[in-house]
Amino acid sequence: MYAIVPLANEYQVERLLKLGEKVLEETIRRRWEKPNANGEEACKQMYRHIIIADTCNLKGLKKLCVNIAADASSSERERTMADHPIPTDLDIEINKLAVRKHELLAADAAKKP
């Protein structure tokens, strides 16, 4: 799929592009969406997929990858950004989501006796 999706985008084959997006989303959900799958390798994979999604305008794939990338630590995201730079607006979106997730987790923890 990694070779087909950019080609489908380049040649504007919408049906193949959407099929490729669906396959990539399913692959990511199976392998990387689990809580124990987070970490630097998951972050690297998400940034790689974000680049593909952004280039090919695959909104569902991008949203999924941003959500998973936000689960990585800030140091993991910084190291990954150095190797796999993504657009600044997406990096900001990931960081904001990470902060929001942290705030929600802290609020939930504070509610527990």
Side-chain angles (χ1 to χ4, degrees):
M1 268 308 123
Y2 296 102
I4 292 172
V5 169
L7 286 173
N9 183 58
E10 182 180 342
Y11 292 104
Q12 300 175 1
V13 183
E14 287 298 318
R15 186 168 183 233
L16 187 57
L17 191 59
K18 291 302 172 191
L19 177 63
E21 179 180 30
K22 183 179 177 183
V23 169
L24 290 175
E25 286 176 4
E26 289 171 2
T27 301
I28 288 168
R29 281 191 177 95
R30 253 193 333 271
R31 183 155 184 205
W32 301 108
E33 201 171 37
K34 303 171 195 130
N36 62 348
N38 292 328
E40 194 158 346
E41 185 58 30
C43 190
K44 286 179 185 178
Q45 290 298 324
M46 292 311 101
Y47 275 50
R48 289 175 185 151
H49 285 84
I50 287 168
I51 293 167
I52 293 169
D54 192 51
T55 302
C56 298
N57 197 28
L58 304 174
K59 293 177 181 158
L61 179 62
K62 189 186 322 183
K63 182 178 178 180
L64 175 63
C65 293
V66 163
N67 188 47
I68 295 171
D71 290 335
S73 70
S74 60
S75 60
E76 289 168 339
R77 292 192 311 272
E78 287 172 13
R79 286 190 300 270
T80 299
M81 185 68 162
D83 293 335
H84 305 287
I86 60 173
T88 303
D89 62 320
L90 291 173
D91 187 44
I92 291 169
E93 183 180 341
I94 291 168
N95 287 324
K96 283 182 178 179
L97 183 57
V99 168
R100 182 69 184 135
K101 286 181 173 191
H102 177 73
E103 289 170 345
L104 290 171
L105 187 64
D108 285 347
K111 290 179 185 176
K112 293 181 183 178

